[in-house]
Amino acid sequence: MKKIVLVILFCVLLAGMVSAAELETYERKSLFLFPAGYNPEIASGLITPERLQSIDTRIYDMVVKEFVRVDFFDVQSDQSFEEFLADADTFIRDNARDIASQRMDADGKFKEAMVTLDDLLKTLENSYALVPYVESVKEEVKTKTFTENGKDVDLPVSYKYTIYMRLDLYNTSTGAKVRTVKANNGSNLMGMLFSSVGDSLVNDESKKTEDELEALKERQFNAAVGGLLTVLKKDLRAIPEFQIKAVASTVTAGSIGFDMGKDTGIRMDQRYKAFTYDEEGKRRMTAFAKIRKIDANYSEAQVLIGRSEEGDQILEDPKLGLNVHAGLAYVPFNLKVMSGGTEFISGQHIAFLVGADYSLASAINFSEFYLTANARISSPAFEDPEGFSGLTDEWSMNVSTVDVGFMKKFYLSRFAITAGLSGTYSSYSWTTEDESWEYTANSIGATIRGGAEILISPSFYAYGQLTYDILANPSEIKEEVSGDKGTLEDAGLEDFNAGGVGMAFGLGITF
């Protein structure tokens, strides 16, 4: 009987050892960063030394400062990365002082690394070389017609760059390429989105001088590169060599703690998943959490889904911090004519809603704080009041409302309360069926919104919200066909307003 008990205890212990052997803790890496290369087949003028330098600078700014989990060494040498990888040991011995002095800290400054030659050589066993490479660049020129000396001429006013970039990662010990991280803003959805946002901030279609056009080219090229690097940075965090791995050290009903913090570059609201392993080594997610507290070498995450236990494997779940949502809304709109105060449109009207929230938490260290943008599009139906029978069949109304502002979320487990304030712009188009008449107008104001979200999974959520739009009547109405402009009174209108209480609901996804 004792033998049987001992065998059972041994099997339990062995199973626990197998499970524990699966657990990993991130070990700090060293990264030798090389200047960007490019495809020589790229058309002349599209990739220049200045643009390559700009790419290197942006990599330093966007990756090095935030990728605190590794020690970066900037390799500025006539030696190519191929030569470096062929004999990294000799290169480090011959250039130890230069390499150490080119260590870039999180503040973006080069500092003398407090390491010895032996320390540098030891990093070869756990270090990598990162080589940026520009695969292709395409330039599209947008023109606009201007009148010069009495003649119409087409002049360039903006540029669009489609860029394909990759980051090649090599093991310095073996010289082998271990990963390639790619992004482009031609077909990659997130690359397109982030590059387009940057491009829109610098795009201006006014007439420009030659110097202004050259400056615009560089701003729009840099905007495209910036969008790509935002995506590449997220993808770097996801590869096994750099993904944060930890073991849960403190666990409560609503939180997970682990022994990594500012020293590893942990940021507010970063996402983590907890896993456990069964006797067969199969992994099962036990919890999803987001960072809420960061100390020098300890972090604590709020559990939003599930529940973890001490000893669980903690893995980083890298995301861009972008939530995209869509759904249906009910929005107010009222149109009243002066003649007897007759209402042609009133009440709530169904609308299609799309929007996005971008997390600012890691930048400002304030949890669940978002930059938000929403667009609501509706076609309020005309009523047929007494005395105007049949007239409303000839008209249609389109209302587009866009708001941009800030939102705060307060999570209790997977349920969150949301509150936000935005500046709002609403545009109106009122036209006849045969388009012989079309009136347009717009107004500006503010939107207050509050609601709730519930996480369906770590990446999907459902939401509902109430909105209160504060919008005045438009100060001017334009008749598009004739170009005439006038006030509400000139058009015989008493009320023309999209303000009031509305509601919305739908689904969202996190990227």
Side-chain angles (χ1 to χ4, degrees):
M1 183 65 181
K2 289 183 179 180
K3 290 183 178 181
I4 295 176
V5 172
L6 288 172
V7 169
I8 292 174
L9 290 174
F10 177 77
C11 290
V12 170
L13 179 62
L14 181 62
M17 291 173 64
V18 170
S19 177
E22 297 287 346
L23 299 179
E24 298 178 78
T25 299
Y26 176 76
E27 295 183 13
R28 194 173 186 85
K29 312 293 194 305
S30 290
L31 195 64
F32 293 89
L33 186 59
F34 283 82
Y38 67 97
N39 185 346
E41 296 182 2
I42 296 175
S44 176
L46 293 184
I47 194 72
T48 63
E50 292 76 19
R51 286 183 173 180
L52 286 174
Q53 180 60 48
S54 174
I55 290 172
D56 287 336
T57 300
R58 284 181 168 270
I59 289 176
Y60 296 152
D61 289 344
M62 296 186 65
V63 180
V64 176
K65 290 181 182 179
E66 299 181 27
F67 222 55
V68 186
R69 67 192 66 189
V70 300
D71 291 323
F72 272 86
F73 296 91
D74 181 45
V75 184
Q76 298 291 342
S77 169
D78 293 335
Q79 187 177 41
S80 68
F81 76 90
E82 291 95 346
E83 293 173 316
F84 168 78
L85 291 171
D87 193 355
D89 184 287
T90 299
F91 179 86
I92 290 177
R93 288 183 183 278
D94 293 343
N95 300 275
R97 178 166 294 278
D98 289 339
I99 291 173
S101 66
Q102 290 300 307
R103 179 183 183 273
M104 179 178 278
D105 278 359
D107 60 6
K109 297 179 181 179
F110 292 112
K111 296 180 180 178
E112 186 78 23
M114 302 300 292
V115 294
T116 65
L117 175 58
D118 288 341
D119 292 331
L120 281 174
L121 292 174
K122 288 177 182 178
T123 66
L124 285 175
E125 300 302 321
N126 201 25
S127 67
Y128 299 87
L130 185 69
V131 184
Y133 193 82
V134 183
E135 192 70 52
S136 66
V137 179
K138 294 181 181 179
E139 180 185 78
E140 297 178 35
V141 183
K142 184 175 181 179
T143 61
K144 189 175 180 180
T145 302
F146 296 92
T147 301
E148 287 189 349
N149 300 322
K151 295 182 179 180
D152 289 341
V153 292
D154 292 333
L155 300 176
V157 292
S158 67
Y159 300 85
K160 179 182 178 181
Y161 290 95
T162 303
I163 305 173
Y164 173 24
M165 286 183 61
R166 71 173 196 255
L167 301 177
D168 292 329
L169 189 69
Y170 296 84
N171 186 297
T172 56
S173 180
T174 65
K177 182 190 291 188
V178 293
R179 305 282 173 189
T180 295
V181 181
K182 305 175 182 178
N184 72 83
N185 60 343
S187 58
N188 179 280
L189 177 61
M190 289 298 104
M192 291 170 62
L193 176 62
F194 278 88
S195 294
S196 296
V197 169
D199 179 74
S200 65
L201 295 176
V202 299
N203 190 15
D204 175 11
E205 296 189 2
S206 62
K207 187 177 178 180
K208 299 172 181 67
T209 65
E210 289 294 326
D211 289 343
E212 289 172 336
L213 283 173
E214 288 302 315
L216 178 64
K217 281 184 181 181
E218 299 313 307
R219 289 199 303 270
Q220 292 185 297
F221 180 86
N222 289 334
V225 170
L228 292 180
L229 290 179
T230 299
V231 177
L232 288 169
K233 182 178 63 178
K234 185 269 294 183
D235 291 341
L236 273 178
R237 292 169 51 209
I239 66 176
E241 286 79 8
F242 298 138
Q243 186 181 30
I244 296 296
K245 306 176 181 70
V247 177
S249 56
T250 58
V251 176
T252 68
S255 67
I256 306 171
F258 56 93
D259 298 325
M260 291 184 189
K262 295 177 182 177
D263 58 343
T264 318
I266 307 297
R267 296 292 187 93
M268 184 67 71
D269 281 7
Q270 283 183 343
R271 299 156 56 94
Y272 285 82
K273 293 179 179 178
F275 296 90
T276 188
Y277 296 88
D278 61 21
E279 291 80 1
E280 298 177 357
K282 292 181 180 180
R283 193 174 72 176
R284 177 178 63 83
M285 191 184 90
T286 57
F288 165 68
K290 297 178 76 172
I291 296 294
R292 299 293 190 242
K293 177 183 177 182
I294 312 163
D295 293 331
N297 49 20
Y298 174 80
S299 296
E300 198 166 275
Q302 180 187 6
V303 174
L304 303 182
I305 298 177
R307 182 167 181 171
S308 182
E309 296 181 2
E310 285 189 28
D312 278 0
Q313 177 73 77
I314 309 298
L315 292 179
E316 183 179 13
D317 180 34
K319 296 290 183 181
L320 292 168
L322 177 69
N323 302 318
V324 177
H325 57 264
L328 294 177
Y330 287 94
V331 296
F333 188 78
N334 296 285
L335 188 154
K336 182 188 295 185
V337 299
M338 285 183 173
S339 178
T342 304
E343 288 189 333
F344 276 77
I345 301 176
S346 62
Q348 305 285 328
H349 311 275
I350 194 166
F352 177 65
L353 167 69
V354 293
D357 311 326
Y358 186 68
S359 176
L360 302 176
S362 63
I364 64 176
N365 202 37
F366 185 43
S367 178
E368 298 296 340
F369 193 74
Y370 296 83
L371 174 66
T372 182
N374 298 275
R376 291 165 284 169
I377 302 172
S378 65
S379 297
F382 277 82
E383 299 168 3
D384 209 354
E386 186 177 348
F388 293 89
S389 179
L391 290 178
T392 58
D393 295 337
E394 302 175 5
W395 295 89
S396 63
M397 174 67 71
N398 292 292
V399 180
S400 299
T401 301
V402 177
D403 64 82
V404 178
F406 299 99
M407 175 177 285
K408 179 74 171 77
K409 301 182 182 181
F410 304 87
Y411 270 96
L412 178 62
S413 189
R414 66 171 70 212
F415 180 78
I417 300 297
T418 63
L421 176 65
S422 302
T424 306
Y425 174 84
S426 194
S427 63
Y428 318 101
S429 175
W430 181 18
T431 183
T432 57
E433 186 176 333
D434 60 4
E435 298 184 353
S436 58
W437 295 90
E438 181 181 3
Y439 295 94
T440 60
N442 61 75
S443 57
I444 58 174
T447 297
I448 302 170
R449 56 168 39 87
E453 293 181 1
I454 184 167
L455 290 171
I456 301 170
S457 72
S459 296
F460 291 92
Y461 62 93
Y463 71 92
Q465 58 186 217
L466 293 175
T467 58
Y468 182 61
D469 295 308
I470 305 169
L471 291 162
N473 285 326
S475 59
E476 181 181 85
I477 294 181
K478 179 182 179 182
E479 206 295 294
E480 292 292 331
V481 177
S482 65
D484 294 337
K485 298 179 181 179
T487 63
L488 242 60
E489 290 78 9
D490 295 333
L493 298 176
E494 182 180 328
D495 195 17
F496 194 97
N497 196 279
V501 177
M503 63 178 296
F505 53 89
L507 299 172
I509 182 172
T510 300
F511 292 96

